[in-house]
Amino acid sequence: MNIHLEAVAPTFVARAQGIDLRDPPTSAQVEQIEDALAQYGVLIFPVQALDEIAQDRFIRCFGPGRNGTFKEAAGGNPNFIDVGTVDDQGAPIPRDSARWEYMLANRLWHTDGSFNERPIRITALLARELPPVPPPTQFADMRAAWEALGPARQAQLDGLRVVHSILRSREQTGMTPEKFDPQTLATHPPSVHPLVRTISRNGKKSLYLASHASHVEGWPVEEGRALITELIAFATQDQFVYSHPWKLHDFVMWDDRWTMHRATPYDGPHPRKMRQCAVFETEPV
Ligand code: OGA
Ligand code: MN
């Protein structure tokens, strides 16, 4: 059966129905979802109470699993991370722990894993437990932002290359390098990616930026940083942003190549449990 897509935001974001993600997807469904990600960027699959096996099987249809190395794996699966207030056993994550501090950077506009040479291509979050008034997750359409810049500005920007570093995002939330475990730092050297990316499936261009973006290759650091700050502010204006109002068992999947996202603060008294999984690019950008 065809997946039914219904647009929920003017330039990107669709609700996807008519598929039960507990069943292994067919190759036709995987292709349809790839097309939908290239067109919409953010897909909301409502009411998908996935167990670990189904969630893992589904995301791996789209590429190699991320197999996290620097945060605690959830549910014993190295591709799962619990993004929220409690750990895998339901115990509150201490606010002064490295894990909490590390996750604070989720509140900055970013795309996942852009500090890797092969960044994350797709991420998905499953809402497993939510506070009574769930704080939204916000998404920004980096394609619409690119298109709104206009040809003259686009010509100045196309071809620039940006250095991304895991330290740059954490520097902005006050996490100092000593707080990282040495293995994380050793395995995450900075990476350089084009400022403007093209999605091969439809040839469309977009800005590629994140809180991890540190500076512009070949430019004085402060000048590059000013450009990055200006472009992120431009791309996250209201007309490019969608705020997702979470419902229990929403499975939300996004294309990290042409969207950014951020958490809104969720440190209230009620538990919030999101199980995250992701797949890498198969080639450098
Ligand atoms: C993520 C992320 C935002 C949120 O899981 O990559 O940034 O609202 N999450 O949990
Ligand atoms: Mn993220």
Side-chain angles (χ1 to χ4, degrees):
M1 196 172 76
N2 260 0
I3 302 169
H4 175 70
L5 297 166
E6 178 201 349
V8 297
T11 58
F12 73 140
V13 187
R15 192 174 296 117
Q17 316 223 51
I19 180 170
D20 185 341
L21 302 184
R22 289 173 301 185
D23 301 328
T26 63
S27 52
Q29 286 172 324
V30 171
E31 286 305 303
Q32 214 195 331
I33 292 168
E34 288 282 14
D35 280 341
L37 282 173
Q39 186 183 349
Y40 292 104
V42 181
L43 299 178
I44 300 152
F45 297 84
V47 209
Q48 299 281 352
L50 296 178
D51 65 14
E52 287 165 0
I53 292 169
Q55 184 172 348
D56 194 46
R57 180 178 56 209
F58 178 74
I59 197 71
R60 284 173 196 272
C61 294
F62 298 89
R66 173 253 334 262
N67 292 344
T69 48
F70 49 82
K71 284 178 270 185
E72 282 106 303
N77 182 327
N79 195 1
F80 289 157
I81 297 170
D82 281 336
V83 184
T85 56
V86 290
D87 70 14
D88 207 19
Q89 275 70 49
I93 300 171
R95 301 303 195 253
D96 59 355
S97 63
R99 179 173 180 183
W100 184 266
E101 286 198 36
Y102 188 88
M103 280 194 307
L104 278 181
N106 280 348
R107 296 186 192 176
L108 304 174
W109 283 109
H110 67 284
T111 190
D112 289 328
S114 67
F115 41 78
N116 295 305
E117 193 201 3
R118 283 186 298 121
I120 287 173
R121 186 170 80 91
I122 298 169
T123 310
L125 280 178
L126 174 66
R128 302 168 81 219
E129 195 172 337
L130 292 170
V133 183
T137 300
Q138 297 188 304
F139 296 89
D141 182 345
M142 303 300 278
R143 174 185 293 163
W146 167 253
E147 288 168 0
L149 285 170
R153 188 81 172 119
Q154 287 174 347
Q156 293 166 343
L157 299 174
D158 210 351
L160 294 180
R161 290 169 59 78
V162 174
V163 180
H164 294 247
S165 157
I166 198 171
L167 287 173
R168 175 62 190 144
S169 42
R170 271 64 196 182
E171 190 176 279
Q172 295 171 72
T173 53
M175 187 170 177
T176 47
E178 318 80 73
K179 295 208 176 134
F180 280 85
D181 76 88
Q183 204 211 341
T184 298
L185 287 186
T187 52
H188 293 79
S191 297
V192 188
H193 301 301
L195 172 64
V196 182
R197 291 187 67 172
T198 306
I199 301 298
S200 55
R201 219 163 167 97
N202 57 17
K204 293 194 189 246
K205 289 185 171 183
S206 67
L207 290 169
Y208 186 64
L209 281 171
S211 53
H212 317 301
S214 169
H215 54 279
V216 175
E217 192 179 54
W219 284 25
V221 169
E222 289 315 318
E223 232 171 274
R225 212 153 264 187
L227 177 68
I228 289 164
T229 305
E230 174 204 322
L231 290 174
I232 290 181
F234 179 81
T236 55
Q237 297 174 90
D238 287 352
Q239 67 266 36
F240 305 126
V241 170
Y242 166 76
S243 284
H244 183 61
W246 285 101
K247 294 214 170 56
L248 192 65
H249 297 145
D250 277 351
F251 183 76
V252 176
M253 179 181 198
W254 63 87
D255 190 325
D256 281 290
R257 295 171 299 182
W258 66 276
T259 61
M260 287 200 300
H261 59 279
R262 68 172 177 185
T264 56
Y266 50 74
D267 39 9
H270 300 282
R272 178 206 203 237
K273 270 178 149 176
M274 299 283 192
R275 181 145 290 178
Q276 197 228 58
C277 56
V279 295
F280 278 129
E281 294 279 359
T282 47
E283 287 171 12
V285 174

